[in-house]
Structures are given as C-alpha cells and as structure tokens.
Amino acid sequence: MRFIRSTAVIAGIAALALGAGTAAGTTRGPTPGITIASAPAGPGNAQFVPGASNVVPPTAPPATDIGTAKLQTAAAPFYTCPGFSGLERQNPLADLYADKFTWAPYAAYKVGNGGGNINWSLNPYKNASWYMWFHSLRWLGQGIIAAGKGDLTALTRVNTIAYDWYRDNPYSWKANVGAWESTMHRTNVLICLRQAVLSGLQVTTLPARYAWIDSALLSHARFLTNYWSGAWNHGTDESIALFGVGVTLNRSDYKNLAVQRLAAGITTSIDAQGSTNEQSAGYAAFNYSLWGRAITVLQNGGVSPGTTISTRRDLLAKWLTLATNSLGKLPQIGDTELQATYPYAGTPMEYAGSLGKSGTAPPWRVGVYSAGYVFGRTGWGTDPARGFTGESAYSIRFGPARAYHGHSDHTSITYTARGRDIIINGGYAAYSAGVWRTWTVSPSAHSVLTTPGSTDVNPVTKLNAYSIKANAESYQFSDVPGVGISRVRRVLVLKDPDLIVTWDTASAKVAQAFQTLWHLPSDQRATVYSRTTATAIAPGDTTRTVIFQVPFRQALPAGATLVKQGQSSPIQGWTYPTSNVRKSAPTVMMARSGKSASILSFVVPVRATGGVTYKTYWSGTTYVVSLKVGGVAAAIGITAGGSLYRIG
C-alpha cells in the first residue's frame, strides 16, 4: 500500500488495535508480563546476499534421535518469547509513539506518520541490515514488554504497527530480501505480541479484535515452510520459529517439519569434530547459543531433543575453547566482530571466557580441525609466573574453499602474547561496506603470503604435515592461490621464548610481486628499522613486536621490508574491530618480485627494552638460525628436505 491512507482506514486500524473495548491511554490491572528467554546477543548484520539463493543444503546424514523418544513431562507445551536481540534498548517507548526506528550506529529515523502508519519501503541509510531489522519488528520490543504488563497505550501502538506490516506486506514477500530474511525474527515478534495481548488483557483466549495475529502467524509459517534456508544459523533459527508457531497454534504439522529440519541441519551445521560450516569464529559462537536454544525449545514444546544436538554442541564448546586467545577473546576469523568468549558455566568455555577465574583448566592445548583450523597456546595460565594473559595463543587457517561467512584467509595467522594482540586479521566489514568489504574478505587483509597481481582463485589449502611438542609446534601448508602459482607456508611456534617463525615459498609461471603481510593492532606504531627488520610498539606499552626476515635461498632486494598504514589505493593498513568501525593499523610487508619467493620471517614479542639477536650457520645440510630473545636462547633449523623445526 502507499504510505498515505484515508482517515477512515487509519481510524479502522486504531479501533482494531484496542483490546476488549478499552480506551487507549489507560492501564489495565498490572500483570507480571510475558516471559522472555535470555541468551547472548546474536549477529547484528544482515546475512543474505541480494541475488543469491541464500540456501545451504544439508550435506551430512541427518540425526535420527530427535523427537523419537518420549519426553517425560507433565507440563503443557509452551514456547517462550525469545526476546528482541537488544534492539529494544535502542528503541524506547517514546520513539515508538513517534514512529521512530533506530538501528545503531545510525540515528533514529521517523518511519511513519506518527499514528502507526509506517512506510515499509524506507531505507534512508541504504543499509541492508538497517532495512532487515526494520522489517523484523524487533524494534517494538519495549512496547510489547509494556503491553504484556497491562499498558494498553503501548499495546495499541505495537499492535497497530505490527498489523500495518501484515497489511502492507501480503504473502509472499520473498521478492523483498529484507522482509524475507527477517521472517523468522518477525514470526517470533508476532508470537511475543500474542503473548502480550493475553497477558496484558488478562485473558486466556485471543480476543476477536486480535485474530489477525493468528492469521499472520499462519502466513509466516507458510513462508517458513516453503522457503527454508537450510543447514546454517539462519535455517536453524527458521526451524525454531516454525516450531514456535506449531506450539502456539497447536499445529503438529509445523512442529514435525521443524523437528525434521533440525535433524537435517545439526549434522551439517556442526561436524563430527565440532567445527561449524560457516567459516567464522563469531558465527560458531552464535551457533553454540542457537543450538542450545533449540534443545530448550524442543523440550518446552514436548519433544525430546535426543543426544545428537548436545553431543555436537559439546564438540563445538571444545572448538570455541581452543579458539579463545590469551586475552579471552575469539580471533577475528571470517565474519567475526571483536568479541569475548562467553563463559558458559559448566563448560570448558567457563574457564576460557573468565580468563581462568572460574571453571577448570581444559586438558587440551592444541587443536587441529579438518574443516581448516589450527588453534594452539603455550598453556592455560596455570603457571603463576605466566597467568592466563601471560600465555601465547595462535590460530592458523587452511582447508576447504571460502564459503558463507568465511574469508580468503588460508594460511593466515593470528597471535596474542604478553597480554596483548600481536598479529591480527583485517576484521569484519558488513556486506554494505562496498570496496572495504571486498578488501576485508581478500587475502590482503590477512597475514599471509599474497600475490597481489593475480586473481584469487579461492583455493583449497592442504595441511601436509604437523608436529606437536612440549615447547614447539610445526605445520606445513600448500595450495594454489592463483593461476600458475604454487604456495607453501611452513609455520613454527615456540614457547620460551614465545615467537612465531614462517617460511613462505612460492613460484609462478609469470613474474609478479610476492608479499608476506603481517597485520598489527591499531594501537601500535610500526617503524622500518632496516632492510630486514621492522618494530612496532604502542605509546607507553611494556611490549614491542620485532618482525624481521632472514635471507634464505634468496637475496633481499631494496624495499624488502615496508610498512603500510591507512592506505586507500590500493587499500592496505586497516582493521575492522566491528563491522561498522574502521581503524588505521600498520601492516608490515615483506616484498619480493620475480617468478619465485623465499621469505623466512620471525614475529617476536618482547618487553619494550628487550633485544633480539641472531646468527645463522650451516650444520651439515641443515640451515640454523640461533636466536637470543630477551636473553633467552633458542635455535631453529631448516632441513635439506624443507622441514622447519626447533632444535633442542
């Protein structure tokens, strides 16, 4: 419908909004209100790509134990309002009465005529996430909560706006990507609104004036039935919402279909090792929360969740624990905003997320996952001399080609040590960020060997070999990052002294540039010290990072070590801690050109006044680099066969 309606139509909607003949502006006897399930916040950005299918087909055999056992409970089935994603905090009641909508970081925007007649075609900031959350109706949260407590003025307004959406957006809204993506959220809002009507009016049956809510729930269930997004977080959320409609309207067909889809999705969403299929640490955390909600929803709805979901979720808990760095945060792998690990009580994440203050130290120190992740650390802080934040932790990516929320980050490394970030990724820019989004997804935003003159072919990267010892871990990866280009990265991570060594080799059929990149935190200032060395330190910090390369099988040309920061053409030297915040950050670049490259580099975090020295020599056919880091000696060797290892 057009934005402007006749007075008669608006008056009709207002009359529809009133409950049980009670005048607006009054409060019926107070009630406890509706129950809202609590959970960590979910993703804040739109996930659908316009023009794409946005469907992830299940690829693993489905679980066979969901809903098969009888659930021993005397309670009647129920579905709890899942809340409003924190969007209600941005949208106070006063703004709802003025038809204003807010989605941070953007300012509040007047989206209606002041009487609940909303223009649903608006997208003033040209942002897919703003538009999606606008259509989700979750911004009505404070009004729904107040309505559930008997505030009839709030009930009138939220009912009017929700009905306006239903009237202006008839089935099917699939051609409207924002309305399509937000269907599961809006379904839950309608369920919450229904509960608020019953609670606020102190009735047990939905009054005739609100019968449209059940009609809207049926149309939403029809949409969810016809357009399932499959085996990823969106499809899981859709199945939960469909199950909620089934419980609310006593429709066993909706419940059964939701159970079937949850069974199909769980084994693809979380694999047998505990990795999610979304290639993002942030979405892995969300999936842990989401599947926990699925278990609770099934149980509350009178259906046994079986054991597959909880087993896969436990494996994911281990994955998230190992992924947690020594600052208690998840590395920004894939579409991941900077975030702390949530310390779920009774899980290994309790210890990791609390920085060792509660829970039990996990028994694992290194994890290698076939989905393409290596996580390792020097320890869990049980040594008082180190403590939790005094340990070092790292991640390395490899595995299947980029998909879903993943980035072109194969062989990329993140590293924390001495209580701070040492090596980071370029972070996560939302889909609407244009060229910045393109950059954050690209190899150039990650600490890898890049070939900037070639087109990224989204390679599969193999882990050819690895070794785990008490004082060092070594890994070797290989892939084909561009047409006619081969790349091998060998990584060695040391403990006491804590440092990372990489040996990048590459060859190409056509001469081109090769660049090993090291992305540093935005608070540090990096300086090129010599052709071999750069240093970085934050003002007043007690730690500095020394990054240097040792000539091996290739002479260092002029300009072999460079620092790029805040550069826009080409884009380099930035980081996105959150999807809407971009910061200038130094990138150390080790450069070569020609048909081959051999770049042996060291990343060494030391105290601000500490020194790093080294010498090289041959021991038979083994090349040796002997170091002293802050007075602590260590030596690494490269064998004739190309293996990188710690000596001693």
Side-chain angles (χ1 to χ4, degrees), residues 187-507:
T187 302
N188 280 317
V189 171
L190 291 171
I191 293 174
C192 297
L193 174 59
R194 190 183 196 277
Q195 294 173 359
V197 170
L198 299 178
S199 175
L201 298 181
Q202 301 177 38
V203 295
T204 56
T205 303
L206 197 66
R209 298 187 183 205
Y210 299 94
W212 76 268
I213 298 177
D214 284 356
S215 297
L217 285 174
L218 288 172
S219 69
H220 279 64
R222 179 184 174 193
F223 192 98
L224 292 170
T225 296
N226 292 336
Y227 304 110
W228 183 45
S229 296
W232 61 305
N233 75 83
H234 213 282
T236 306
D237 240 336
E238 290 168 348
S239 298
I240 292 173
L242 181 61
F243 189 89
V245 178
V247 172
T248 301
L249 301 184
N250 195 25
R251 290 285 299 264
S252 59
D253 53 340
Y254 295 154
K255 291 175 63 175
N256 291 340
L257 180 57
V259 166
Q260 176 186 330
R261 288 176 172 177
L262 289 170
I266 179 60
T267 49
T268 296
S269 293
I270 307 174
D271 71 18
Q273 289 184 314
S275 299
T276 68
N277 62 337
E278 300 196 44
Q279 298 187 358
S280 157
Y283 279 94
F286 177 57
N287 272 285
Y288 183 84
S289 172
L290 188 60
W291 283 104
R293 172 165 161 71
I295 291 173
T296 301
V297 164
L298 289 170
Q299 290 172 332
N300 291 346
V303 173
S304 169
T307 60
T308 300
I309 297 177
S310 59
T311 298
R312 293 294 175 102
R313 194 165 172 258
D314 288 345
L315 292 168
L316 178 54
K318 178 180 178 180
W319 189 100
L320 288 163
T321 300
L322 284 164
T324 303
N325 63 31
S326 56
L327 308 179
K329 293 180 170 59
L330 294 173
Q332 286 189 269
I333 295 174
D335 289 344
T336 300
E337 295 189 325
L338 193 61
Q339 63 189 79
T341 296
Y342 192 85
Y344 288 93
T347 75
M349 286 187 285
E350 179 181 2
Y351 189 91
S354 69
L355 280 69
K357 295 175 183 176
S358 64
T360 303
W364 338 282
R365 190 176 60 82
V366 178
V368 178
Y369 291 90
S370 59
Y373 307 90
V374 175
F375 301 120
R377 58 198 311 116
T378 52
W380 287 103
T382 54
D383 179 355
R386 277 184 177 264
F388 191 97
T389 59
E391 302 283 7
S392 297
Y394 62 93
S395 71
I396 314 174
R397 280 284 284 125
F398 68 101
R402 173 184 175 262
Y404 315 126
H405 290 292
H407 290 183
S408 294
D409 58 0
H410 286 186
T411 74
S412 181
I413 296 170
T414 69
Y415 190 43
T416 58
R418 294 183 57 84
R420 65 165 296 118
D421 280 312
I422 302 297
I423 300 298
I424 64 172
N425 281 328
Y428 167 34
Y431 286 125
S432 58
V435 295
W436 296 99
R437 166 73 182 176
T438 301
W439 176 77
T440 58
V441 171
S442 75
S444 294
H446 301 86
S447 294
V448 299
L449 171 70
T450 66
T451 51
S454 66
T455 300
D456 174 34
V457 298
N458 193 17
V460 173
T461 303
K462 296 179 181 179
L463 172 59
N464 300 314
Y466 68 93
S467 171
I468 300 171
K469 297 182 179 179
N471 64 354
E473 293 92 60
S474 63
Y475 308 92
Q476 184 183 109
F477 308 91
S478 64
D479 61 15
V480 178
V483 176
I485 302 170
S486 63
R487 174 177 68 170
V488 177
R489 166 163 275 191
R490 301 163 181 86
V491 182
L492 181 64
V493 186
L494 270 60
K495 175 181 181 179
D496 295 327
D498 294 3
L499 58 90
I500 287 181
V501 187
T502 63
W503 179 28
D504 291 321
T505 57
S507 62

